[in-house]
Amino acid sequence: MSKLTRRSFVAGATAIPFAMWLAGCDKDGNGGNGGNGGNGGDGGDAGNGAGKVRYDARSPQGQAMLAIYGQAVGQMQTAIAEGSPTSWVFQWYTHNVRGDRTKAAELNRVYPSPSPDRQLADEMWNTCQAHHAGDVEDYFLPWHRMFVYFFETIIRQVSGNADFTLPYWNYTTSDMAVRGVIPPEFGQAGPLFVGKRNSGVNAGQPIQGSDQSLLPLDSLDQCTYSPNGADDGFNQALDFGLHGNVHVLTGNGQNMGSVPWAAGDPVFWAHHCQIDRLWASWNAAGRANPDSSSWLDQTFVFADANGQRVEAKISDFTDIAALGYSYDSLEPVPPCPEPAPGGFVDVEPRERAASTGVQLGGAAVRVALPGAGPAGLAEPLGEGRRVYVKVEDLAADVQPGVVYKVYYGLPEGADPAASDEHLAGTFNFFGAVAHGGDEDHGAMAGEMPERFVSFDVTDIVRRAGEGAGPAAVTIVPAGQPVAEARPVVGKVSLVEQ
């Protein structure tokens, strides 16, 4: 194999296929022809089956990794020119260019004249999936796995530590003393500290306060990766649920709480290690990823530890063992329910009732569902059927900065805080705010992907029984939203399938 250099590939507008890049890594994890990352370029440990382990940030191994991480982040921020693909700004902007500047203006500022690195930046910046107009929601998990993977190789290169692995922030741990508490290294003075996190976060207060419902693991209950009728599926439930909740609970609109600013905070990467760990847990329980060629063959371009341009295909990133890493532990995943006897009858979703144009604010909003009968159903629920509250077309002028709680069948005037039996779930607006970068995704700014959030309320409906009054959904902000946010829900419906 001939020697492949970053400059020859960038200049020729060609990317190294990931399989070739990975094959160029020797058995010790050092880059070879076409994959040379020095101490980076790793993933090569997959070649001898050794693998590397990503650790909980609070474990002794994780704390050691955080010390390496902090030193490398400091170098990326101060010692590496912004225009280098291994700089902090370049990696941040791969997710999205900061919110107060445009991609075009930043390209001109960082690269005043044409260069291979400018060409690569033009191709890579603002490619985060799936929080821009025109994005495909099912790419959310694999794009972020790729992003974290290549970033990890850069940290190895910059730190000179070939054994480095990114630690994950386990904010859903069963240890209530540290559940939702940011690892202390991020709250101490140094490269990992950011002052724009929400009040109390850096001081060690749990991001969810005392409300554990704001850190849900219910996405692990999903049995399909993609939406199935009114059921939103694992990828979407995780994205719009726990993933977005952690973003808005951790930082404000110029930090983790907003897509353009999020990757500028070093804790972003520990957060997305946890999201990747949950996907690995879901797969380890036997849950299947999409098998369509359109999903498996989708490619994205990233830079490795030498700034080489690598073309990564989703099919190369569905198995973490093949990528040469694992996690020190995985989350338990509940079994999928057995199919109803005789299978489903009438598998198509049936909309029972709906309400449109719901404006949210700083107080609870009760949404009546016109046309619904007792308990929300005008006729009995069929055997094997489920009922969902479906929330669609989320939009806001700016990030509201709070998580919203959804209650079904809550009696009018009842205190939501004392009515957990009516709590259906939570959602957020992290991925629902139009922002700079949408124009780079081939769609009009403000035209966000068509996504929805759904909540299985079958058990609530059955508990309510025939004596229940007309169906209603109550949406309650868990905190005070930003005044200028003006969040809107386009449609709330009750769907049986």
Side-chain angles (χ1 to χ4, degrees), residues 359-367 405 407 410 414 416 473-477:
Q359 180 74 56
L360 303 180
V365 174
R366 184 177 174 82
V367 184
K405 303 178 71 171
Y407 295 83
L410 185 69
V473 172
T474 305
I475 303 176
V476 183

Side-chain angles (χ1 to χ4, degrees), residues 203-412:
Q205 296 178 16
I207 59 174
Q208 78 280 12
S210 60
D211 191 346
Q212 302 306 326
S213 71
L214 303 184
L215 295 179
L217 274 172
D218 53 1
S219 58
L220 292 175
D221 297 343
Q222 294 286 341
C223 296
T224 62
Y225 180 95
S226 305
N228 177 28
D231 200 354
D232 45 8
F234 173 70
N235 174 80
Q236 190 163 293
L238 182 58
D239 183 6
F240 259 33
L242 178 65
H243 161 255
N245 286 7
V246 171
H247 270 284
V248 302
L249 293 172
T250 300
N252 65 25
Q254 287 192 341
N255 180 247
M256 282 279 283
S258 177
V259 171
W261 297 92
D265 188 330
V267 81
F268 170 95
W269 308 92
H271 169 34
H272 272 278
C273 269
Q274 169 74 344
I275 294 300
D276 186 71
R277 173 176 171 266
L278 295 178
W279 184 18
S281 299
W282 191 78
N283 281 157
R287 305 292 198 272
N289 296 319
D291 59 5
S292 68
S293 58
S294 61
W295 190 78
L296 291 168
D297 293 343
Q298 177 63 37
T299 59
F300 298 98
V301 169
F302 290 90
D304 72 1
N306 276 348
Q308 291 184 124
R309 188 169 171 270
V310 182
E311 187 174 88
K313 185 183 293 187
I314 288 179
S315 59
D316 293 324
F317 279 79
T318 58
D319 180 1
I320 64 172
L323 293 169
Y325 72 92
S326 62
Y327 288 94
D328 59 355
S329 69
L330 295 176
E331 289 293 327
V333 176
C336 285
E338 293 293 328
F344 290 123
V345 178
D346 181 19
V347 296
E348 291 298 318
R350 298 171 56 196
E351 187 175 286
R352 293 282 199 161
S355 186
T356 59
V358 180
Q359 180 74 56
L360 303 180
V365 174
R366 184 177 174 82
V367 184
L369 298 177
L377 303 179
E379 58 190 72
L381 182 63
E383 185 177 3
R385 307 281 289 174
R386 310 295 296 178
V387 186
Y388 298 85
V389 168
K390 188 176 180 183
V391 179
E392 303 175 68
D393 302 330
L394 306 179
D397 292 348
V398 298
Q399 176 57 243
V402 297
V403 172
Y404 287 85
K405 303 178 71 171
V406 176
Y407 295 83
Y408 181 73
L410 185 69
E412 195 162 5

Side-chain angles (χ1 to χ4, degrees), residues 4 9 14-22 34 309-312 316:
L4 302 173
F9 269 87
T14 305
I16 305 171
F18 179 76
M20 177 188 287
W21 180 89
L22 189 62
R309 188 169 171 270
V310 182
E311 187 174 88
D316 293 324

Side-chain angles (χ1 to χ4, degrees), residues 371-456:
L377 303 179
E379 58 190 72
L381 182 63
E383 185 177 3
R385 307 281 289 174
R386 310 295 296 178
V387 186
Y388 298 85
V389 168
K390 188 176 180 183
V391 179
E392 303 175 68
D393 302 330
L394 306 179
D397 292 348
V398 298
Q399 176 57 243
V402 297
V403 172
Y404 287 85
K405 303 178 71 171
V406 176
Y407 295 83
Y408 181 73
L410 185 69
E412 195 162 5
D415 179 9
S419 306
D420 281 350
E421 69 273 17
H422 291 280
L423 179 63
T426 66
F427 70 92
N428 59 80
F429 284 80
F430 176 73
V433 179
H435 49 73
D438 291 336
E439 66 276 8
D440 300 311
H441 286 234
M444 294 176 60
E447 184 183 324
M448 299 304 293
E450 293 184 7
R451 295 176 293 186
F452 63 89
V453 187
S454 68
F455 310 96
D456 188 333

Side-chain angles (χ1 to χ4, degrees), residues 35-77:
N36 186 6
N39 291 323
D42 191 82
D45 275 354
N48 68 354
K52 287 180 166 61
V53 179
R54 291 179 180 171
Y55 297 98
D56 187 324
R58 291 187 178 274
S59 69
Q61 301 95 325
Q63 291 173 330
M65 294 301 174
L66 280 179
I68 298 168
Y69 180 48
Q71 293 172 356
V73 167
Q75 290 180 258
M76 292 173 70
Q77 291 173 339

